[in-house]
Amino acid sequence: MSNHQKRLSVPKSWPVERKTETFTVKADAGPHGEAGVPLLIVLRDVLGYADSRKEARYALNNDSVLINGKAVSDEERPVGMFDILAFVERDEYYRVFPGEGGRLALTPIDEDSSQSKLGKIVGKRAVSGDQIQLTLHDGQTLLVEEDTDYDGGDSIVVGNDDDDEVVAHFEYEAGALVTAVDGAHAGEIGEIDEIQVTPGSSSNNVLVEQTDGDGFETVEEYVVVIDENFVDEDAADAATDDDGGDDE
């Protein structure tokens, strides 16, 4: 199977130029499904920390790049929404956040904030032992006690250590602060004004109000509950440019 992906057909979330070259690297199997961006693109095209796949492999072999607290050695490992990237030798930390047009962007954060990541609950089921298994938007699963009050659409913040401790919980409800991660309003932030329940199998609509905008309407699959710590105007303005590059 080819390790290359045509640039013109990459998902819109990938921060690459589509017409500078014919091919780019292909994402390996892993979190975030087809929307996951290969780590090589982040290292080379977004941050400029490597000029080639060879340089990226060298950095990764030194265990100097962490995703969600774990060292990564595969340059094709998918990176996606709300992942935490840590560059140990540079003392730099980033959160993957939705940018304009749905492209993934990197928001600088401090070391303390890099110790946990946010996940949207997209699945919930009872398992043996009086526990509940939660599935997050990136495919991560974790077990919580049966009497915990987590519902689909809620967001939780999970520690990046091995015990998957839930350190914060944000309910999906009117008044919640949210960001759109897909659709025409990807990257916009506001508060839920109303959740319009749609009969049948159609998606529910969410009306979002903004203090500095006109507000917007989208489907609930596209919104993720966040908190005020995710809103940093200076960091948002620091989203990096995307340039082209060779794959080898």
Side-chain angles (χ1 to χ4, degrees):
M1 183 175 292
S2 172
N3 288 327
H4 292 79
Q5 160 81 50
K6 285 191 174 182
R7 285 176 178 260
L8 288 176
S9 61
V10 300
K12 64 180 181 180
S13 61
W14 288 29
V16 298
E17 294 293 340
R18 283 158 170 74
K19 297 182 179 180
T20 56
E21 301 285 344
T22 303
F23 294 100
T24 187
V25 65
K26 185 177 182 179
D28 202 352
H32 303 288
E34 294 182 355
V37 179
L39 179 58
L40 174 60
I41 288 179
V42 175
L43 294 174
R44 184 193 60 198
D45 300 342
V46 178
L47 292 170
Y49 290 170
D51 293 328
S52 66
R53 184 191 292 262
K54 182 178 181 180
E55 288 186 10
R57 284 176 175 170
Y58 177 79
L60 297 177
N61 287 337
N62 289 332
D63 292 338
S64 61
V65 180
L66 310 182
I67 298 181
N68 303 328
K70 298 176 177 59
V72 179
S73 60
D74 180 7
E75 75 274 12
E76 296 179 3
R77 194 272 196 196
V79 177
M81 200 66 65
F82 302 112
D83 276 344
I84 302 297
L85 274 67
F87 299 91
V88 179
E89 294 181 356
R90 294 173 176 267
D91 195 27
E92 293 180 4
Y93 308 89
Y94 297 93
R95 177 185 293 116
V96 182
F97 205 70
E100 184 177 354
R103 285 191 170 194
L104 300 183
L106 300 182
T107 299
I109 57 176
D110 58 30
E111 184 176 3
D112 287 342
S113 298
S114 75
Q115 303 305 307
S116 59
K117 74 175 180 71
L118 181 137
K120 177 180 179 178
I121 299 174
V122 298
K124 174 182 177 181
R125 69 184 184 92
V127 296
S128 59
D130 296 327
Q131 291 185 308
I132 298 293
Q133 178 178 283
L134 303 179
T135 302
L136 305 184
H137 71 281
D138 59 358
Q140 180 183 359
T141 59
L142 65 155
L143 297 176
V144 296
E145 296 302 319
E146 190 176 35
D147 58 355
T148 48
D149 190 24
Y150 302 132
D151 292 316
D154 290 359
S155 290
I156 55 176
V157 177
V158 183
N160 285 333
D161 49 24
D162 293 331
D163 60 6
D164 290 337
E165 179 186 2
V166 177
V167 297
H169 172 213
F170 309 121
E171 295 184 18
Y172 171 61
E173 60 184 1
L177 185 68
V178 296
T179 183
V181 298
D182 203 344
H185 301 284
E188 296 189 37
I189 294 173
E191 291 185 356
I192 295 179
D193 179 48
E194 181 182 357
I195 301 172
Q196 299 177 330
V197 178
T198 304
S201 58
S202 298
S203 297
N204 294 336
N205 290 328
V206 181
L207 305 182
V208 180
E209 58 183 4
Q210 299 169 302
T211 57
D212 56 352
D214 298 328
F216 60 90
E217 177 179 350
T218 188
V219 294
E220 65 180 3
E221 288 81 4
Y222 289 173
V223 297
V224 176
V225 182
I226 57 176
D227 77 338
E228 63 276 4
N229 292 327
F230 283 71
V231 184
D232 184 329
E233 293 182 0
D234 292 335
D237 290 340
T240 50
D241 296 331
D242 35 36
D243 300 314
D246 296 329
D247 291 311
E248 303 299 338

